[in-house]
Amino acid sequence: MINFLDLKEINARHADELKAACCRVIDSGWYIAGEELSSFEKEFSAYCGVKHTIGVANGLDALILVLRAWKEMGLLCDGDEVIVPANTYIASILAITENRLRPVLVEPDPHTFNLSLEGARSAITSKTKAILAVHLYGQLAPMPELMALANEHALLVLEDSAQAHGAQLNGKKAGNWGHAAGFSFYPGKNLGALGDAGAITTDDDDLANVLKALRNYGSHKKYENIYQGVNSRLDEIQAAMLRVKLPYLDGEIARRQQIANCYLNGIISNDSLTLPTVVEQTAHVWHLFVIRTTKREELSAYLHQHGVQTLIHYPIPPHAQQAYKNKIEHGNLPITELIHENVMSLPLDPTMSDDSVDLVIRLINDFFSDNT
Ligand SMILES: *Cc1c(COP(=O)(O)O)cnc(C)c1O
């Protein structure tokens, strides 16, 4: 059986180090906002090439709190428009609506699944204040172009980097392009904790300062509250787990890229099967390997029959979810809807063996040679 993602196997490789780090925290007697967090924040900042990392409880909070901080700083107001790709995971949209801002859903580039310069440009109105660029499936959105557009119109840019730790373009990593970025360390992400965790990265000192208060009841100094903050903290145990795993991230990304290249070279595309488009080798860290196929049900049934698990990211677009029924204004979104009807994710994680990769390739090619 080739599982879609083998979390047990992924963490088993670091078991001794993880257990030692866990014991270190238990024995320290300090469990929130201590040395592990401040060290992880420094290490992750160095990794991304940014000035500040602010650890928070999860990826959704990271996105929510950046927008919230920009409101506290007077840079955003209720009802301001935020441009966002329509085909993202719902968290990106929730961060906008949670802050009483207006998501403006934009059709993605159908080849990269990311926001395009033209798409973003055509959505700008006099009420647009920010762009939330999502690096979907692990590939950087076209950040040089989007940043130039944002500068031209004085827009804030927030990167949803939850799927793209370590992705880079022109030597600059995800989390280092926009004015701020949100990361998730959910266990299944490319850098995963052993529970929930997230972080914000930014070069902006003022923003970092506001965020450090917001995540902690709006307080810099115990029992003095400047903002009506929240409790969203990255605890010491999870920070310690992440410190163990961060040094292995680049090696794991390299293995993901190797597997993705095998898929790209080995799987034969045809009229009913499209392989993902890679803009630039280093820009894609392959959180997910997503193909498009008009024979999704048949192909996934065939693969399951032969012991290969596949998933769909995502079956229903945010605007079609019951949660947003009649709650977000949007035009027709045919590209987004088509994407959700025909995407399928193949198994890809750094522990996957070459034999498993070859088997997946062979099964897919066999399926289409019998079915075209
Ligand atoms: C996982 C994810 C999030 C949310 O992260 P959590 O840690 O689960 O809250 C946000 N955006 C995208 C694109 C994601 O994939």
Side-chain angles (χ1 to χ4, degrees):
M1 181 78 198
I2 302 177
N3 290 320
F4 184 75
L5 172 68
D6 197 337
L7 274 181
K8 191 171 163 184
E9 191 59 32
I10 285 177
N11 288 315
R13 298 179 310 161
H14 313 301
D16 291 345
E17 278 188 88
L18 291 169
K19 285 174 188 168
C22 211
C23 290
R24 185 174 77 222
V25 175
I26 292 170
D27 293 344
S28 77
W30 193 281
Y31 307 116
I32 297 276
E35 295 275 319
E36 299 289 343
L37 177 62
S38 58
S39 298
F40 173 69
E41 288 177 335
K42 282 196 197 88
E43 289 155 11
F44 196 65
S45 293
Y47 180 81
C48 295
V50 296
K51 255 172 108 176
H52 305 281
T53 295
I54 300 98
V56 293
N58 54 66
L60 174 58
D61 278 4
L63 299 171
I64 289 177
L65 290 175
V66 170
L67 295 173
R68 169 77 194 277
W70 281 338
K71 290 181 85 180
E72 295 288 354
M73 294 164 80
L75 300 172
L76 293 176
C77 295
D78 284 10
D80 283 348
E81 292 179 2
V82 181
I83 290 172
V84 64
N87 61 317
T88 183
Y89 179 56
I90 197 166
S92 326
I93 315 284
L94 287 170
I96 298 170
T97 55
E98 172 73 20
N99 276 292
R100 298 184 303 280
L101 301 164
R102 272 197 43 204
V104 175
L105 305 181
V106 175
E107 291 268 64
D109 175 319
H111 303 291
T112 63
F113 305 107
N114 276 330
L115 217 60
S116 67
L117 175 64
E118 305 72 49
R121 187 193 296 283
S122 63
I124 293 177
T125 72
S126 59
K127 290 192 151 172
T128 307
K129 290 286 156 50
I131 298 176
L132 204 173
V134 183
H135 308 311
L136 202 65
Y137 307 146
Q139 178 153 249
L140 279 180
M143 296 312 292
E145 293 85 351
L146 291 175
M147 292 311 295
L149 179 71
N151 288 338
E152 202 181 302
H153 295 268
L155 306 177
L156 294 162
V157 176
L158 171 56
E159 294 170 72
D160 182 338
S161 299
Q163 304 188 352
H165 323 68
Q168 61 178 309
L169 193 60
N170 307 342
K172 212 168 164 172
K173 288 200 176 113
N176 192 7
W177 282 96
H179 301 101
F183 284 89
S184 166
F185 307 118
Y186 179 77
K189 299 287 157 89
N190 286 17
L191 177 61
L194 277 69
D196 272 315
I200 297 144
T201 55
T202 184
D203 280 337
D204 182 337
D205 299 341
D206 295 334
L207 175 64
N209 208 31
V210 175
L211 285 166
K212 280 182 187 165
L214 281 179
R215 72 173 170 185
N216 186 36
Y217 294 102
S219 164
H220 285 298
K221 197 166 161 208
K222 208 163 191 181
Y223 306 127
E224 287 183 20
N225 305 78
I226 314 173
Y227 310 105
Q228 297 170 28
V230 298
N231 175 353
S232 182
R233 300 180 293 215
L234 202 180
D235 66 68
E236 290 289 283
I237 292 249
Q238 295 309 334
M241 302 296 100
L242 290 165
R243 290 185 69 202
V244 168
K245 293 180 73 178
L246 180 59
Y248 297 102
L249 179 59
D250 281 342
E252 296 189 344
I253 290 173
R255 176 65 184 149
R256 284 178 184 273
Q257 289 169 335
Q258 207 173 40
I259 296 170
N261 280 326
C262 290
Y263 279 159
L264 290 170
N265 295 325
I267 300 171
I268 302 160
S269 55
N270 60 60
D271 287 349
S272 17
L273 169 72
T274 311
L275 292 167
T277 299
V278 189
V279 170
E280 156 83 52
Q281 290 292 325
T282 59
H284 207 322
V285 293
W286 300 103
H287 175 57
L288 294 169
F289 190 97
V290 178
I291 60 170
R292 294 182 61 178
T293 173
T294 49
K295 301 217 161 103
R296 181 164 76 183
E297 293 222 326
E298 301 93 313
L299 178 59
S300 77
Y302 178 83
L303 291 173
H304 284 222
Q305 239 169 45
H306 290 82
V308 175
Q309 196 189 8
T310 62
L311 294 177
I312 296 171
H313 299 92
Y314 300 91
I316 306 172
H319 71 271
Q321 297 284 356
Q322 192 182 334
Y324 282 129
K325 207 166 179 191
N326 303 322
K327 300 230 168 85
I328 315 182
E329 278 174 48
H330 60 82
N332 290 334
L333 298 164
I335 299 175
T336 298
E337 282 169 11
L338 190 62
I339 285 174
H340 287 77
E341 274 163 36
N342 64 23
V343 286
M344 181 171 130
S345 310
L346 303 183
L348 193 167
D349 80 54
T351 68
M352 220 177 146
S353 70
D354 290 343
D355 286 347
S356 300
V357 176
D358 290 343
L359 177 62
V360 174
I361 294 171
R362 187 153 46 80
L363 287 169
I364 295 176
N365 289 341
D366 286 352
F367 173 83
F368 283 104
S369 64
D370 295 343
N371 287 276
T372 43

